[in-house]
Amino acid sequence: MEKEKLGNVLFYSAKCGQCREQCEEETQQLDDRLLEEIVLGSREEDYHSRITAAKSWTVMYQLAESRANIVKWLHLPRQAKVLELGAGCGTITSALLKKGAVVTCQEENAHYARLNALRHRQVQEGQLTIYAAPLAQCQPYLDSDYDVVAAVDVPIVEESAGELLLQIRRHLKPGGLLILAAKNKFGLKYWAGNKEPYTKNYFAGLETAGVRLYSRNRLEKLLEQSGFLQREFYYPYPDERFALDIYSDKYLPQKGDLTYNITNYEDDRILLFQEQKVFDSIIEEGQFPFFSNAYLCLAREGAAQDGQTGITQEAVYVRYASDRSREHAVCTEITKHSVRKRAMYEQGAAHVAHILEAYQRLSGQYQNTDLRFNRCEEKRGKDGAVYAEFELLHAGALQEQIGQAAAAENWEKIFQILNRIVRYIRTGGGQVPFAMTEGFAAVFGTPAGVQVLGQTMCSEVSDIDLVLPNILEDADGTWHVIDYEWTFFFPVPHNFIIYRTLFFLHQENKHKKELSMERLLMETGIPKEEADVYAQMEEAFQQYVTGGLVPYREMVNLLERRFFNITELKADYDRVVAQNELLKGQGILKVARKIKKKLTGN
């Protein structure tokens, strides 16, 4: 292979001149020109705004930092020697380099490989080497003593998976770690109406034995046959591409947790059922691992000692709040013994310090009540970064109690819980008259009609996130607030905090008239004119959290992807049939054309 230097990056290709010609040919495509423009002209912290402006699935997939969530939580050996397969434009590469790893990348697309090199051209000398060629051509040049091989963007499909794993094993040193991400053949999203990713057909993997993807059972057998006898499986949600949560067998999702399921960024889909409700049923039956949309497997060769897996990762569950400004983006990790919240970027250090101060001030403000705020301490990681560590509580969430009560139509139980929350908010945090402050305006703006808040009472310290999932009840009935991240040290109306609790309760129960916003507001004594102001405050608060950026979860809309609700389409068809009967055939072709256009877009 021919070698060239791009900044401090060593770059190899079969023929560098031919590689450059291929790059020039590939950049004739609009998406590839956009990728080059962003990588060469923007800092990584500006990628998010550039991605949303581009409205391109290719650009989003190649550059969105959330794609690296799949590996960001992993603890790797100091100065780990890592081989990354299918590195693309380098989003995973970037996360590995920030961990201090020495990285060798393989990427078949010459244009993507070159952009990866240019993106990281200022790394330390010798920290990054990139091969722009198919893996088979790279084999003679790759070492056999890598600490880690990362295969998080390599298709794990029938035709090549077995040989791929054998090749990977040859490049790992004894005891080396394989990081393998794979789509699940039986992932719920494929039952619910997403297309199979490689054939682009509906239900292809489900209907035909051996089509492309692997189930967990077959993937485990394949790993075992390839010599990887130590294995731990994790479950990235909603899938491996932009993981917001990473579950494990030691920490599986609970009912009501899996609410983010419309993620058809790359193509249109049909919608056969409400995935959240089906996930709830699956969780109740203990079958989530089988139906998880994707897997993250950590594997080592050889048998473990004393029945242990040999995989040393502390976290059993990870949640990313990454659709935020860099000042507010945090990662929450649950281990066997504690809960940790850390900043995802350097700019978030002040936000973590704010959480630590919030604990002290809230505990003092509510000390004369029986509402408890989960103990929080400052800790420092091996990298020197400060994080907040919370006590791991074993108690049930009020969210689950409310869900059970709503399913049983036990409205009395629900309003008992709400009345207790309202009592804590209105009487436990002091009585301070509302005043427009600089801090309030920075977070909540200056909503129209704000003058109606002039007579409302506030607390000096305001935890505005006293929502049901954030409150646990232990065996003796004590309530514990486990997350008080959004606490402000200026007056915020009690009724706004209550409004948010009611709003999110209503969102979870939209079809239950007993839990309509009108009923909930009436029961808690919040006038409509106040509620209108609070709705504006909530919108401004969300802008404050995201820094004005469009969350990636909304990219489905920006990319103009459609999803067709089969129930609604059936209702449309029934109306056509009924109309045909009434009109005796008159005008039916016109209506049929409308339905055809809705289905096909043509």
Side-chain angles (χ1 to χ4, degrees), residues 13 22 122 151 172 195 234 278 283 345 387-388 425 512:
S13 62
Q22 182 183 346
Q122 295 181 350
L172 276 169
K195 295 179 181 178
Y234 296 82
V278 176
I283 289 167
Y345 307 103
Y387 62 88
I425 293 171
K512 295 181 171 62

Side-chain angles (χ1 to χ4, degrees), residues 520-545:
L520 293 170
L521 291 170
M522 182 184 69
E523 289 286 339
T524 51
I526 299 178
K528 183 181 184 304
E529 58 268 24
E530 273 190 45
D532 291 341
V533 175
Y534 299 147
Q536 297 174 64
M537 288 173 57
E538 178 63 21
E539 185 175 347
F541 171 64
Q542 294 300 331
Q543 288 292 309
Y544 169 77
V545 171

